[in-house]
Amino acid sequence: VKDPVSGGYAFEAGAMVLSDGGVCCVDEFDKMPNEHTALLEAMEQQSVSVAKAGLTATLPARAAVLAAANPVAGVYNRSKTVHENLKMSPALLSRFDLCFILLDTPDEELDDKLSRHVLAPHGTGGTLRLTEARQHLLAHRAHSDSEDDDEESRVKRRNAGGGASQSQRGSGVNDSNRVSLKRQLRLDVNGTDEEFAPLPRGLMRKYIAYAMAYCHPKLTPPAAKVLQAYYLELRARSAAGADVTPVTPRQLESLCRLAEARAKVELREVVTVADAMDAVEIMQESLKEVMSGRALGKGFSGRGGKPN
């Protein structure tokens, strides 16, 4: 930009540069197609190169990007791919570690509880009605998660009767007694977590800052083997034409970052097999709707070969 005082030109930092060392949140990501090309370098090289008005510089942009985008015409078409729905290039979409599709599916019971939660602050009763509405909404979500867990248990039992156990032995993975990450994070609002209170914002900021500054976990060989096996399984499915989204080494790098972040949350210096399995579970949830085959989200055989 031109300096109004001196008349010379100077750099004005953008959102990515200002977010260096933190998180850059972008809303209406689909409304800025002209910026997509510039983001390719920023998300890949963690820097922004500028060459204008005789000035050349490379500015740091080491930031995580959290973006939200709307589908074309405001409605997600399940018959189309994610790239076609968002009008976004596969090169840019592949630079995101995770991609979740949030669909507004009509649900009479959920809509009733959600509307009560929205109306509670505007009526009589104040905080008491708002708390009650929030409890009902969380209880409905917990019930939905329980149904998902029942489906997951049925899939595990079905896999146990087939060749999945042999695949798990091949990679040293045995998750028959493993508690899923979704279940670990669930709140029992009507039971042990009835008086749950979130951590104060200041304490949470200090905890995250400490983990980022002093905690640098490394992959252990067993954890690396789990991530490698899942990546090879994804590659085999992609090569077999089961999915519409290409699987590249970026997915493996994403798995490594997720596993390291999972260990960093607990301030550990090593990434365990449990951390790797949690990272795989998060990736599976991301790929459930993004890829065409929903079977990807139904379980991880652990073999790393071609799908049966």
Side-chain angles (χ1 to χ4, degrees):
V1 295
K2 189 173 183 178
D3 191 333
V5 178
S6 63
Y9 288 92
F11 290 126
E12 183 177 10
M16 288 294 296
V17 177
L18 291 175
S19 302
D20 182 49
V23 180
C24 179
C25 300
V26 185
D27 194 12
E28 303 290 347
F29 196 62
D30 55 302
K31 304 297 191 300
M32 42 183 293
N34 296 331
E35 304 295 334
H36 288 179
T37 303
L39 282 172
L40 287 174
E41 178 195 359
M43 297 180 68
E44 179 70 21
Q45 305 295 335
Q46 298 286 280
S47 62
V48 176
S49 299
V50 182
K52 290 185 178 180
L55 301 176
T56 304
T58 301
L59 306 176
R62 299 158 297 183
V65 179
L66 177 63
N70 297 315
V72 178
V75 179
Y76 191 87
N77 190 342
R78 288 180 176 270
S79 63
K80 296 182 179 180
T81 64
V82 180
H83 315 118
E84 294 171 342
N85 274 285
L86 299 181
K87 293 295 182 181
M88 190 181 304
S89 67
L92 179 60
L93 193 62
S94 67
R95 281 166 170 76
F96 287 94
D97 291 345
L98 299 170
C99 179
F100 294 98
I101 300 174
L102 305 180
L103 300 177
D104 185 16
T105 305
D107 185 328
E108 183 177 357
E109 184 177 358
L110 176 60
D111 292 341
D112 175 69
K113 289 179 169 55
L114 185 59
S115 61
R116 291 175 183 270
H117 182 267
V118 173
L119 294 174
H122 302 280
T124 59
T127 306
L128 181 61
R129 290 195 59 183
L130 179 61
T131 303
E132 182 181 357
R134 184 184 294 114
Q135 294 290 338
H136 286 302
L137 188 60
L138 291 175
H140 175 82
R141 182 58 184 171
H143 177 70
S144 301
D145 289 341
S146 299
E147 293 179 347
D148 292 342
D149 286 344
D150 293 340
E151 175 65 20
E152 182 181 345
S153 299
R154 286 194 293 269
V155 172
K156 283 187 176 182
R157 287 195 297 268
R158 185 168 64 249
N159 290 339
S165 59
Q166 180 180 359
S167 301
Q168 290 170 354
R169 286 195 299 268
S171 63
V173 178
N174 184 7
D175 62 343
S176 58
N177 298 323
R178 175 179 172 270
V179 179
S180 66
L181 182 62
K182 182 189 296 185
R183 181 171 295 181
Q184 295 178 44
L185 298 177
R186 181 187 305 157
L187 286 177
D188 184 9
V189 294
N190 296 322
T192 57
D193 299 321
E194 185 177 2
E195 299 181 357
F196 169 80
L199 291 174
R201 183 179 302 178
L203 177 60
M204 196 65 187
R205 289 173 63 93
K206 291 179 181 179
Y207 188 94
I208 295 175
Y210 180 88
M212 292 179 61
Y214 299 104
C215 188
H216 306 285
K218 301 296 182 182
L219 278 173
T220 59
K225 194 172 183 179
V226 171
L227 300 182
Q228 182 187 24
Y230 182 64
Y231 169 72
L232 294 177
E233 187 170 322
L234 288 180
R235 289 284 292 180
R237 291 183 183 273
S238 180
D243 308 303
V244 296
T245 302
V247 178
T248 66
R250 285 198 181 102
Q251 273 70 37
L252 183 57
E253 294 177 349
S254 299
L255 286 168
C256 293
R257 284 191 289 268
L258 290 172
E260 291 171 358
R262 180 67 183 90
K264 189 177 292 187
V265 167
E266 299 185 4
L267 303 180
R268 283 187 274 103
E269 293 296 332
V270 294
V271 178
T272 63
V273 172
D275 296 327
M277 292 301 297
D278 287 345
V280 168
E281 182 181 344
I282 295 172
M283 182 68 74
Q284 285 176 342
E285 289 293 326
S286 172
L287 298 180
K288 266 186 180 180
E289 298 289 348
V290 173
M291 290 191 168
S292 60
R294 289 184 65 86
L296 271 176
K298 298 300 183 184
F300 166 42
S301 69
R303 173 167 51 188
K306 294 183 178 180
N308 295 327

